[in-house]
Amino acid sequence: MAGSGGLAGGAGGSQGTAGGPGTALRASRAPLLFAALVLGAYCLCALPGRCPPAGRVPAPAPARAEPPRASRSPREPGLPVASGSGRRRFPQALIVGVKKGGTRALLEFLRLHPDIRALGSEPHFFDRSLMPRTLDGQITLEKTPSYFVTREAPRRIHSMSPATKLIVVVRNPVTRAISDYAQTLSKTPGLPSFGALAFRRGLGPVDTAWSAVRIGLYAQHLDNWLRYFPLSRFLFVSGERLVSDPAGELGRVQDFLGLKRVVTDKHFYFNATKGFPCLKKAQGSGRPRCLGKSKGRPHPRVPESVVQRLRAFYRPFNRKFYQMTGQDFGWD
């Protein structure tokens, strides 16, 4: 006690004895009273209602959790893992071409398979956020026919996912060009005739600057792709056989993707009116379904002389394409 009294006496020694012990006690309570007043004002002004218990500081709001960094699967390099049910991935398989070759039909037929998840639209670029979620064992599939004829596409796809499997649906380049023209004509009536667009000045050489003609130069486009991907990464589907034997072509595609042959001839019937195969049982429905109105669209009449000139033009390109792929598509 003597020690503590000495400390108290030392603290008040400079003030003398005039204030007494009461003064010192009131002085020591002053900071506490001030703090209580501040706390009361805070409760009345800032937080109307119930005041937080004395001596407790309201806990800060929890920070928003950052999404986990995309991890990489050892089996699938470059395929980020997403949270939730399944994963969003870069496509393991792409239908890269060609326009008016039968790519939409192939996509719709493949979507019958339970182990395929496909994006319905054509994104025209890799965007993982657009891809459907897939479970282990399922394949993410995308269709963008313009990839096959876009010069930068092979390099960009290879840089993102070099193990991608590539599917190219090809069709006789002459009938493909006429079908392409028919689609454009349906949207833009009043176009010049097919022959006027296919040949320079109507009678000159074939105009390869016209996209309807240029797309059919399959050998040239494939040569660009083979700079980045080996031929073993490709499957070439016949657009003609996709119509005449859809189950046979679908069997080849399922084998190529490493899938069980689930989509078979029992899923198809031939619609004589459209001249095209239809699905006996569409995905998620018990009713038969054909593709849209644009599938099986009648072609405009093109003079036989124009058709023969185009066939002669494409013949060397077709033969080179047969050699490159090891497949004779029978267009000549």
Side-chain angles (χ1 to χ4, degrees):
M1 294 292 294
S4 62
L7 183 58
S14 63
Q15 302 274 344
T17 58
T23 302
L25 183 59
R26 285 194 298 273
S28 65
R29 288 178 177 174
L32 294 176
L33 292 173
F34 178 74
L37 289 173
V38 171
L39 182 60
Y42 171 77
C43 293
L44 289 173
C45 301
L47 292 174
R50 187 174 180 179
C51 182
R56 295 180 58 186
V57 179
R64 180 178 298 177
E66 293 293 327
R69 287 182 174 270
S71 59
R72 297 185 183 275
S73 166
R75 293 190 299 108
E76 297 163 332
L79 305 180
V81 178
S83 60
S85 177
R87 295 179 287 177
R88 296 191 190 278
R89 321 170 187 229
F90 287 126
Q92 297 103 310
L94 291 171
I95 301 175
V96 297
V98 296
K99 179 185 178 186
K100 306 308 295 180
T103 58
R104 168 57 62 178
L106 178 61
L107 179 71
E108 292 302 318
F109 297 163
L110 282 173
R111 291 177 81 174
L112 292 174
H113 201 294
D115 290 335
I116 288 181
R117 295 296 309 279
L119 187 67
S121 58
E122 298 175 5
H124 296 276
F125 59 92
F126 267 144
D127 187 341
R128 192 176 67 250
S129 66
L130 296 177
M131 295 299 131
R133 294 184 183 274
T134 54
L135 302 174
D136 289 340
Q138 289 183 317
I139 289 177
T140 306
L141 181 68
E142 178 204 320
K143 174 188 82 79
T144 302
S146 63
Y147 284 162
F148 190 63
V149 299
T150 302
R151 188 158 188 83
E152 301 81 11
R155 177 182 58 80
R156 292 176 179 174
I157 292 172
H158 184 271
S159 67
M160 292 186 181
S161 188
T164 302
K165 293 184 177 182
L166 305 163
I167 301 172
V168 188
V169 188
V170 288
R171 181 184 182 187
N172 186 317
V174 178
T175 54
R176 196 223 65 82
I178 296 173
S179 180
D180 197 338
Y181 172 77
Q183 182 183 56
T184 305
L185 186 64
S186 69
K187 300 176 181 177
T188 314
L191 281 179
S193 69
F194 178 83
L197 294 171
F199 303 100
R200 297 174 189 170
R201 297 178 300 278
L203 298 173
V206 174
D207 189 356
T208 56
W210 186 32
S211 64
V213 169
R214 186 176 65 253
I215 289 172
L217 303 175
Y218 304 142
Q220 290 187 0
H221 303 309
L222 178 59
D223 190 58
N224 183 40
W225 281 84
L226 292 178
R227 295 169 56 196
Y228 299 91
F229 293 92
L231 191 63
S232 60
R233 284 280 162 197
F234 291 85
L235 178 70
F236 300 94
V237 175
S238 167
E240 287 81 10
R241 288 196 293 270
L242 196 59
V243 173
S244 63
D245 182 19
E249 286 301 279
L250 264 292
R252 294 180 60 239
V253 176
Q254 290 168 95
D255 292 346
F256 175 68
L257 297 176
L259 299 173
K260 182 180 179 181
R261 288 197 176 194
V262 172
V263 185
T264 64
D265 54 1
K266 69 181 181 181
H267 291 94
F268 301 98
Y269 75 95
F270 189 80
N271 186 305
T273 302
K274 294 180 70 70
F276 209 81
C278 297
L279 299 172
K280 289 182 180 177
K281 185 178 180 181
Q283 185 181 31
S285 171
R287 296 180 298 174
R289 185 177 72 85
C290 289
L291 299 179
K293 294 179 180 179
S294 64
K295 307 306 175 185
R297 178 193 289 121
H299 289 175
R301 184 183 175 278
V302 177
E304 185 62 23
S305 60
V306 171
V307 172
Q308 292 301 328
R309 286 184 64 188
L310 269 185
R311 283 180 179 170
F313 166 77
Y314 279 121
R315 188 168 294 117
F317 295 100
N318 292 343
R319 290 177 177 173
K320 183 179 179 183
F321 185 64
Y322 300 167
Q323 293 173 353
M324 295 172 75
T325 62
Q327 295 178 235
D328 186 338
F329 292 89
W331 298 325
D332 300 314

